[in-house]
Amino acid sequence: MNAPTDILPQWHTLTDRIEKARAHAQLRATHTRLVAVSKAQSSEAVRILLEAGHRLFGENKVQEAEHKFPPLRDAFPDLQLHLIGSLQSNKVHDALYLFDVIETVDRTSLVDALVKERSKSHGRCQTFFVQVNIGEEPQKGGVLPAELPALLGYCRQAALPVSGLMCVPPAEENPAPYFALLHRMAQEHELAELSMGMSGDFETAIRFGASFVRVGTALFGSRQP
Ligand SMILES: *Cc1c(COP(=O)(O)O)cnc(C)c1O
């Protein structure tokens, strides 16, 4: 974990690196926003960024976010929170009230659960991305690339508004071809948002049109166990 005093310099460095990468991007998104991934980081660390003016955060677990974020949101009502981890159907209600964007729609049963819950009350979340298992890895969440058109069709019929794609490429490979592929898929389906790139590869993701990069350790330091 970084000392809290490191967080602001890291944030400024990251912001600079994002702007530089955008300047060199071949496929430049209209915007590139930094999702500060605060999983396994303290509320104090999040608060440091909030006080400096950062508003966009990402968490991968509903329960952890439920403990951490409501008090922070009381103090900073314009805070935005993305769910970037897999969502179980029994947590859908809570997720819709906690998150502004759910980035991990990846199966029809989850679409059904989201639509059913939204028919009772929309909650806070109005924006959904589909997660693509871009490297077709068995241990990873996301819809397989070949099944993306069918899932998007299912979302459209169910009136679940999908505006973007998200992916996590295989850890030990050059991510560039995977980012290029996700970019192509988003274009094909006329989806405006692309969430891709983490601490180790966000500059590459930006070159391929990332509109959201999800950065944890390069901002906050290593995570608490
Ligand atoms: C943890 C996580 C990140 C951030 O990873 P870092 O390498 O710490 O930047 C990004 N996306 C997802 C889906 C994650 O689970």
Side-chain angles (χ1 to χ4, degrees), residues 142-154:
V143 65
L144 292 172
E147 290 163 11
L148 176 65
L151 184 61
L152 289 173
Y154 194 89

Side-chain angles (χ1 to χ4, degrees), residues 162-184:
V162 173
S163 56
L165 298 178
M166 176 269 211
C167 79
V168 182
E172 305 298 329
E173 290 179 47
N174 173 9
Y178 296 104
F179 293 148
L181 180 58
L182 198 73
H183 178 270
R184 203 152 61 235

